[in-house]
Amino acid sequence: MTFLNVLFFATQVYAQERVALLIGNSNYEAPEMSLRNPANDVAALSAALEELGFAVTQATDQNAEAMQRAVEKFGVAAKGAEMAVFFYAGHGVQIGGENHLIGTDFAGNDLSALRQSSMTLDLVRDVMSRAGPDIGILLLDACRNNPFTESGMVENGLVRIRGGAGLLIAYATDPGNVAYDGLEENSVFTSGLLDHIATPNLDVRLMLGRVRQQVVLETDGRQIPWVEESVLDEYSFAPVLAGSAPKDEYTIDLEHWRRIASSSNAQDFEGYLEAHPEGLFASFARERIAAPLPEPAASLAPINASLTEADPNKIASALVALGYLNDPQTRDLGPALDNYRSQLPERETASADRLLQDAAQVSIFLATTTLQRLRTDIVALRSLERTLGIAEDALRQIEDIARTDANALPILQQARNDIYDIYRSRGIILRRLDQSRSYYEEVLNRAVIFFPPGIDASIISKASAPRDLNIADARMTNDAALFLRHVSQAEDSRKGSYQWLTDLIPPE
């Protein structure tokens, strides 16, 4: 079966289950507000979604009333859908903690006129929630520079809002900042969507991770998309295709590690070492195997009062980091605490402070290992992107020559083969980055919960000693310090943002 046949079959399956509403406002009544790309963004994304089996409604240059009617109608189409997508490109602002998507009829100069000429994002979210698709996705490329923002009438960008269960909200940039309309045919954010949305069998969260990564790298950190989501299952825009590029060893290594990282079974770590004897986390796996077997709780010294009085969320997150607990929402922490206490060389040191320090050391080890891999692959990706650009330019020139010169046909075929190989290598690196990015965020978000206050670089040397880390390695030391900075700078309002990725952008 050919690629086109597979895609046609998939779109037939999805045709009645996938719906999208795309709104793009370019031509505002106030000339200074007109934008170059929203209409282009809608047209390009519509074509991509239709290829993936979506029933798409396009609405360009709409006033507030027309936008609201389109959204209400979309809510009917989205009822019971497998996937429902709302996309907005144009001006958007926050007023009093509420996000407003601005219609083309706005031509006033005060907040009252702005409210009357806009539709709230809360309305879109509520319509989507009532429709109840399996997954509802809101894509907002809506933070462009505008006169009333620059004059101080409203704050920059959009404000974070909470989505309901099954909803994912992706913003083109982080809270309070602006997004770039783009100098090409599409905005920076939409270009990222177009590059990755049709990747076969790529979970939507990983797909948006690639988009966020691309935007951060392309803008050198000036624009940082972010995501708010409450999605449990996995969903992809594109179906699985036979013959997809295989995973490389690093991707398999990290996927294996993430499956067993919170295990308390030594056999899981033995299996990891058997599969990856020189794996990224081999030293940590050996440490877990060498840990003493848990003793009966009755033989342990009485539990330290600091452990029973400490914040249970912190204790649970620390136990997950150490591998003694699978689910941080577990209410009964007793068995996990007993396992942890039984493996300490001095039972009386099993205090809350000791637990949090141990978990912090493990987190630093895992984070620094992952940061080094991330940095290496980002450099490789940028190099491949430059090579791909040169190769595609050359291919276009060869295609022009081959139209009139048959002698150029063998060279043309070779050029196409070369580009295929570059794309294949790019796909492998992107899959590695998918794993590394998401794993680093797991470690970071968990550390934010339990890291002791006032933690400093002195913990780095303690983290290295039992895990065969060469602390004399300046890069390892710097990455450990970088992780500590990411933890100290993290806040709930930035969760879902790739702010930390800006520190990994390689110098040109």
Side-chain angles (χ1 to χ4, degrees):
M1 183 178 289
T2 67
F3 171 83
L4 290 177
N5 286 335
V6 171
L7 191 57
F8 176 76
F9 174 77
T11 57
Q12 290 295 101
V13 171
Y14 287 137
Q16 303 304 315
E17 301 176 348
R18 301 180 144 205
V19 294
L21 169 62
L22 314 183
I23 298 177
N25 288 340
S26 290
N27 298 315
Y28 285 81
E29 289 185 13
E32 67 274 16
M33 290 179 58
S34 291
L35 295 167
R36 172 191 178 95
N37 282 327
N40 297 339
D41 295 338
V42 163
L45 188 58
S46 175
L49 289 174
E50 286 174 350
E51 285 290 324
L52 295 170
F54 281 79
V56 179
T57 300
Q58 297 184 51
T60 55
D61 296 333
Q62 302 289 298
N63 62 31
E65 184 180 352
M67 287 196 297
Q68 185 165 333
R69 285 199 305 269
V71 168
E72 295 290 354
K73 185 175 180 180
F74 178 62
V76 175
K79 283 188 179 296
E82 180 259 339
M83 184 179 286
V85 176
F86 171 82
F87 172 83
Y88 175 81
H91 285 302
V93 297
Q94 54 172 301
I95 305 174
E98 188 174 47
N99 294 320
H100 291 253
L101 310 180
I102 303 173
T104 55
D105 54 328
F106 176 73
N109 57 8
D110 58 43
L111 291 180
S112 176
L114 190 57
R115 286 192 175 96
Q116 291 176 3
S117 301
S118 64
M119 173 181 67
T120 66
L121 182 56
D122 287 354
L123 169 70
V124 181
R125 178 198 59 192
D126 293 345
V127 167
M128 189 79 85
S129 295
R130 288 195 299 271
D134 291 349
I135 179 173
I137 301 172
L138 280 63
L139 303 171
L140 303 164
D141 201 352
C143 308
R144 311 299 209 280
N145 273 323
N146 53 67
F148 35 86
T149 298
E150 294 169 355
S151 69
M153 184 191 304
V154 296
E155 296 181 56
N156 273 337
L158 300 181
V159 67
R160 172 186 182 183
I161 69 167
R162 296 286 185 181
L167 291 186
L168 183 152
I169 306 173
Y171 300 80
T173 192
D174 54 346
N177 285 328
V178 297
Y180 292 96
D181 194 37
L183 299 176
E184 304 298 331
E185 290 299 312
N186 299 109
S187 76
V188 178
F189 180 70
T190 299
S191 292
L193 287 172
L194 295 171
D195 284 346
H196 300 291
I197 200 168
T199 303
N201 200 36
L202 183 64
D203 179 68
V204 64
R205 286 161 293 200
L206 290 178
M207 186 277 289
L208 287 167
R210 292 188 183 186
V211 173
R212 288 184 279 167
Q213 173 182 279
Q214 180 169 315
V215 172
V216 170
L217 295 179
E218 285 191 5
T219 64
D220 287 325
R222 293 187 298 275
Q223 180 176 332
I224 305 170
W226 60 297
V227 170
E228 184 81 27
E229 58 99 355
S230 299
V231 180
L232 298 179
D233 294 328
E234 292 190 1
Y235 300 90
S236 62
F237 278 91
V240 181
L241 293 180
S244 295
K247 299 174 182 177
D248 71 328
E249 175 56 31
Y250 170 76
T251 304
I252 297 170
D253 181 348
L254 186 48
E255 285 180 344
H256 191 164
W257 176 255
R258 291 177 71 180
R259 287 197 304 273
I260 69 166
S262 296
S263 172
S264 58
N265 188 340
Q267 292 182 344
D268 288 336
F269 297 99
E270 290 169 354
Y272 172 83
L273 287 176
E274 183 177 346
H276 314 282
E278 302 299 326
L280 290 167
F281 308 99
S283 60
F284 189 73
R286 286 191 286 269
E287 177 186 320
R288 293 301 307 276
I289 292 169
L293 293 173
E295 297 180 14
S299 68
L300 298 176
I303 193 165
N304 189 291
S306 66
L307 283 170
T308 58
E309 296 170 359
D311 182 341
N313 291 327
K314 289 186 177 182
I315 298 300
S317 294
L319 289 168
V320 171
L322 288 167
Y324 296 109
L325 191 67
N326 289 317
D327 183 2
Q329 303 302 317
T330 301
R331 293 188 176 184
D332 182 8
L333 302 180
L337 281 171
D338 288 343
N339 284 345
Y340 166 71
R341 293 164 61 218
S342 72
Q343 296 185 24
L344 290 176
E346 300 176 24
R347 303 295 187 261
E348 66 273 15
T349 63
S351 64
D353 286 346
R354 173 66 183 269
L355 170 64
L356 299 182
Q357 287 282 332
D358 286 348
Q361 290 173 17
V362 168
S363 298
I364 289 172
F365 164 71
L366 298 174
T368 52
T369 301
T370 309
L371 276 172
Q372 292 196 60
R373 185 73 258 179
L374 272 165
R375 184 179 286 104
T376 299
D377 283 336
I378 286 172
V379 170
L381 179 63
R382 278 202 152 182
S383 176
L384 268 180
E385 296 284 7
R386 286 192 292 268
T387 301
L388 181 60
I390 294 170
E392 288 179 332
D393 287 342
L395 177 61
R396 284 189 287 269
Q397 296 178 37
I398 296 170
E399 285 175 336
D400 289 341
I401 296 170
R403 289 189 182 97
T404 57
D405 184 357
N407 292 325
L409 291 176
I411 301 174
L412 175 61
Q413 185 57 51
Q414 183 58 54
R416 287 172 174 165
N417 291 342
D418 291 344
I419 285 182
Y420 171 80
D421 289 340
I422 295 171
Y423 268 108
R424 187 175 184 278
S425 298
R426 179 175 175 264
I428 290 173
I429 292 173
L430 286 171
R431 280 189 291 276
R432 288 207 300 252
L433 284 165
D434 290 341
Q435 291 294 325
S436 299
R437 279 192 324 270
S438 54
Y439 186 59
Y440 185 75
E441 282 222 314
E442 283 179 21
V443 175
L444 176 61
N445 291 338
R446 191 164 55 225
V448 169
I449 297 173
F450 72 81
F451 256 45
I455 194 168
D456 58 32
S458 65
I459 197 173
I460 297 173
S461 58
K462 298 175 185 176
S464 67
R467 297 183 177 87
D468 302 326
L469 300 183
N470 180 11
I471 208 61
D473 184 334
R475 178 58 60 79
M476 178 69 77
T477 305
N478 290 340
D479 281 344
L482 181 60
F483 175 63
L484 292 182
R485 179 153 64 85
H486 290 164
V487 173
S488 68
Q489 292 176 342
E491 55 182 271
D492 188 55
S493 66
R494 296 283 177 177
K495 189 174 182 181
S497 169
Y498 273 9
Q499 183 71 46
W500 55 266
L501 189 61
T502 62
D503 291 321
L504 304 183
I505 296 175
E508 290 294 340

